[in-house]
Amino acid sequence: MLVSVTEMLKKAKEGKYAVGQFNINNLEWTKAILLTAQECNSPVILGVSEGAGKYMTGYKTVVNMVKGMIEGLNITVPVAIHLDHGSYQGALDAMEAGFSSIMFDGSHYSIEENIEKTKELVALANSKGISVEAEVGSIGGEEDGVVGAGEVADPNECKMIADLGVDILAAGIGNIHGKYPENWQGLNFEVLAEIEKATSPMPLVLHGGTGIPEDMIKKAISLGVSKINVNTECQLSFADATRKYIEAGKDLEGKGFDPRKLLAPGTEAIKATVKEKMELFGSVGKA
Ligand code: 13P
């Protein structure tokens, strides 16, 4: 069932759990995530960066692939296709192609311009039943070419953006895309609590889910985080399983070079990672 994130995240916030956003890159990724969501009876958000959208030959391909899989695999849990870190134009294009949810990352604009552009996109998205995620205070590290300085969000600015009618809000609280450095200071829970106070009951989004210790994830959920984005961890699991297959010489045995065999261990590894996250986030059985 293709839906926006509005209902599923409202329920998550009320129920004190989080729904995972898992980024997709191709058919194997999408299939692995959808099958795991169904197996876990969990709602799920498929994240698509602009780069991944281009890689998959365009947003229309993505929408049609996901819709085809929902039908072909009998997926009955709520599924959202969400543009990850979209530009203004990217958000327009994704809405046009049939995405059920978009993120507009205006964090690199001045707060005035971020507000202006977010407002325009909210009006358009609302008229189509599409949900909108906005961002304040950029997330550190790099996400598919989008580089953020990693500043901590200002709770007053969060309130200004939340009041524009967005459905969910991503706020930088010391989180980083990709692996965390050795000397990482951890999440800033004081700021998270202030943001929650200023924007409640809006569901909050935690980007950079890869490598955040379990206790911090749980604390973040208890403080109002209802959506957690995971990307790098699935990539690492996939690469690791694929490397092991090749290093063991399995591609040279029989028809082990058949892509359906060659990509199977990586696909299974993504499933295991997604399941682990759904259990940690508490979304199992919440579809
Ligand atoms: P990670 O790659 O660090 O898991 O971050 C994913 C993300 O936040 C996508 O927006």
Side-chain angles (χ1 to χ4, degrees):
M1 195 179 24
L2 189 62
V3 294
S4 79
V5 302
T6 312
E7 267 314 298
M8 67 165 92
L9 294 184
K10 195 167 161 251
K11 269 173 71 183
K13 178 110 191 193
E14 282 163 11
K16 290 226 176 270
Y17 61 90
V19 177
Q21 172 193 303
F22 302 96
N23 287 54
I24 59 171
N25 296 287
N26 63 10
L27 179 140
E28 278 74 20
W29 246 261
T30 315
K31 182 176 165 185
I33 296 164
L34 288 178
L35 284 173
T36 309
Q38 186 66 28
E39 186 194 312
C40 293
N41 194 30
S42 167
V44 74
I45 300 164
L46 302 173
V48 181
S49 66
E50 294 203 354
K54 280 201 193 92
Y55 178 79
M56 289 182 273
T57 73
Y59 298 139
K60 280 217 171 104
T61 312
V62 176
V63 171
N64 287 325
M65 173 176 70
V66 173
K67 281 188 176 164
M69 276 192 204
I70 289 177
E71 195 183 318
L73 297 172
N74 291 320
I75 304 295
T76 55
V77 297
V79 176
I81 312 176
H82 179 79
L83 179 67
D84 191 27
H85 293 281
S87 61
Y88 185 81
Q89 188 58 45
L92 293 178
D93 294 345
M95 286 198 270
E96 177 70 31
F99 274 45
S100 63
S101 188
I102 54 149
M103 171 186 189
F104 169 56
D105 181 353
S107 63
H108 45 282
Y109 291 113
S110 67
I111 186 70
E112 292 78 23
E113 200 165 355
N114 192 354
I115 287 177
E116 204 46 51
K117 290 193 157 62
T118 302
K119 241 200 233 165
E120 285 170 32
L121 291 171
V122 165
L124 192 62
N126 276 350
S127 71
K128 297 181 169 205
I130 297 170
S131 45
V132 178
E133 173 179 340
E135 176 169 333
V136 181
S138 77
I139 318 284
E142 190 209 316
E143 174 68 24
D144 217 2
V146 181
V147 181
E151 84 220 41
V152 169
D154 173 347
N156 294 324
E157 290 188 356
C158 289
K159 166 105 182 95
M160 281 156 79
I161 296 275
D163 286 348
L164 300 177
V166 301
D167 298 271
I168 49 176
L169 186 72
I173 50 163
N175 40 335
I176 298 172
H177 289 125
K179 290 183 178 173
Y180 284 85
E182 289 284 324
N183 61 352
W184 181 50
Q185 304 288 307
L187 296 176
N188 189 329
F189 291 114
E190 290 80 56
V191 171
L192 177 57
E194 281 179 45
I195 294 170
E196 163 64 7
K197 212 168 117 199
T199 60
S200 181
M202 176 151 303
L204 302 175
V205 184
L206 183 62
H207 280 247
T210 296
I212 299 180
E214 288 194 18
D215 57 331
M216 286 195 200
I217 292 277
K218 289 196 170 138
K219 185 154 184 199
I221 294 173
S222 78
L223 289 170
V225 163
S226 316
K227 170 176 179 277
I228 302 178
N229 294 4
V230 177
N231 183 19
T232 307
E233 206 155 327
C234 289
Q235 298 186 350
L236 291 169
S237 306
F238 178 85
D240 187 49
T242 307
R243 178 164 34 75
K244 284 190 177 126
Y245 181 87
I246 297 196
E247 278 177 359
K250 299 242 175 82
D251 59 316
L252 302 172
E253 289 169 16
K255 286 239 182 184
F257 54 83
D258 180 331
R260 289 167 296 183
K261 293 204 167 78
L262 182 66
L263 299 177
T267 307
E268 287 304 313
I270 295 171
K271 281 191 193 165
T273 298
V274 170
K275 187 171 181 195
E276 202 180 284
K277 297 296 170 196
M278 287 179 166
E279 284 166 354
L280 173 64
F281 300 165
S283 70
V284 173
K286 307 286 193 196

